Amino acid sequence: MTNAYISGTGFHVPPDVVTNDDLIRRFGVDTTHEWIVQRTGIEQRRFAEAGVGTSDMALEAARSALAQAGLRPQDLDLIVFATLSPEHAFPGSGVYLQRKLGLTDGDEPKFVPALDVRNQCSGFLYGLSTAVAHVRAGMARHVLLVGAETHSAALDLSTEGRTVSSLFGDGAGAVVVSATDEDRGVRGVWLGADGRFAEVLCQKVWDIRQRPFIAKNPDRSGTVPPDMLWATMDGKVVFKHAVAAMVGSLMRACADQRIDLADIDLFFFHQANLRINQFIAQQLGVPEDRVPHNIERYGNTTAATLPILLAEAAQSGRLRPGMKIALVAFGSGFTWGAAIVDW
């Protein structure tokens, strides 16, 4: 049986470090460092400079992952790109990444298919499920899976928007999912969704049901009202459902694999809120040293949190071959998922 394993990891974050105090000094947000840390655990985040798009950061992460896997871009059979912040409404960022990797250049271009995934904070796990399925079915030998976000351009960096804007940062993480005959790799991905709560955490931007979908001014420019332009969230509802869904999906994964929590060496939780993750770990009785986190340095990078966390752990030696790990995420939609991986 062909198994799918993660043969390489990589990540990239912009150089501009934006601390909680910077939100006050640089952007005029009426908040405090203590207020943000107490509620979220976030101390700083990274913002991309103007002109840098989601596929630009994805390119750097992808290059690192390919190098670690010992592969060239031409060895890829599929690109899966998870993001809620593509460069444009369409096309998706996957084709831009394909082009930037040089796959359309030269005398023998390779027009690798590019698939974009729009599942927000759960995007990496939805993408991982897709990559693993392609490898197991024999449709691909090597799949590049990227999670990348450029949140900073679409944040309401003001006192009115502080509840949401203080949470997010920019960054990209990438993995290469490859075929192997060895008894290792991704054992399974278990996904779920509940559309009853679709508006609890959302950024509508426009309503395609309207004619035109953005109100048109006399000069043919468009106007988007604030309640459509900026992201909105009911934090208490998100917290409650995140805990239930993440715990539930993890227990479902363990039951399917006939393993206990004690069999898992490291738990990689989506980095949305440190307090949520700490509460889940306490509920499950998981020791703190088995739950890596980096949200204090990067904030919530949505689809990029899990691959960045994996890449950092592998780079530091904390994540080592032979370990059994769990990946768990929850986000807008509501959508969620868990994966069990023998590294």
Side-chain angles (χ1 to χ4, degrees), residues 49-272:
E49 64 181 12
V52 174
T54 302
S55 64
D56 294 315
M57 290 186 291
L59 175 64
E60 300 305 319
R63 284 172 171 166
S64 296
L66 286 165
Q68 190 179 103
L71 299 172
R72 304 171 304 140
Q74 289 75 14
D75 295 318
L76 295 173
D77 302 303
L78 173 66
I79 295 170
V80 180
F81 200 125
T83 185
L84 65 75
S85 51
E87 276 82 354
H88 308 294
F90 67 87
S93 293
V95 292
Y96 291 120
L97 178 58
Q98 179 214 51
R99 189 172 69 189
K100 290 171 181 177
L101 283 168
L103 287 165
T104 59
D105 299 337
D107 296 331
E108 297 182 7
K110 185 175 182 181
F111 299 108
V112 175
L115 170 67
D116 285 67
V117 173
R118 293 292 304 275
N119 281 87
Q120 296 68 250
C121 297
S122 304
F124 180 77
L125 288 182
Y126 272 75
L128 183 63
S129 177
T130 302
V132 168
H134 273 76
V135 169
R136 286 180 177 173
M139 297 173 63
R141 290 288 297 175
H142 302 290
V143 179
L144 175 63
L145 169 59
V146 179
E149 305 289 359
T150 310
H151 287 303
S152 57
L155 294 176
D156 182 7
L157 292 166
S158 69
T159 299
E160 291 77 10
R162 65 186 174 183
T163 302
V164 173
S165 62
S166 60
L167 301 176
F168 295 96
D170 302 339
V175 302
V176 178
V177 179
S178 297
T180 181
D181 293 327
E182 298 177 12
D183 185 20
R184 60 181 297 203
V186 182
R187 298 308 188 182
V189 185
W190 295 265
L191 305 172
D194 188 345
R196 293 176 298 174
F197 301 94
E199 287 80 22
V200 171
L201 174 53
C202 65
Q203 187 167 13
K204 296 180 179 179
V205 182
W206 59 67
D207 188 344
I208 204 68
R209 298 168 298 181
Q210 302 302 314
R211 303 292 185 274
F213 72 120
I214 294 177
K216 190 167 65 173
N217 300 318
D219 64 355
R220 298 182 67 248
S221 64
T223 300
V224 181
D227 62 332
M228 301 292 285
L229 181 60
W230 306 117
T232 60
M233 176 180 67
D234 186 329
K236 291 182 180 180
V237 174
V238 171
F239 193 109
K240 173 184 175 182
H241 286 270
V243 170
M246 291 175 72
V247 170
S249 60
L250 177 58
M251 298 312 295
R252 177 186 171 197
C254 289
D256 186 90
Q257 290 295 294
R258 296 181 173 83
I259 61 174
D260 297 322
L261 294 175
D263 297 320
I264 299 173
D265 297 296
L266 293 173
F267 296 81
F268 292 84
F269 294 155
H270 166 55
Q271 303 291 288

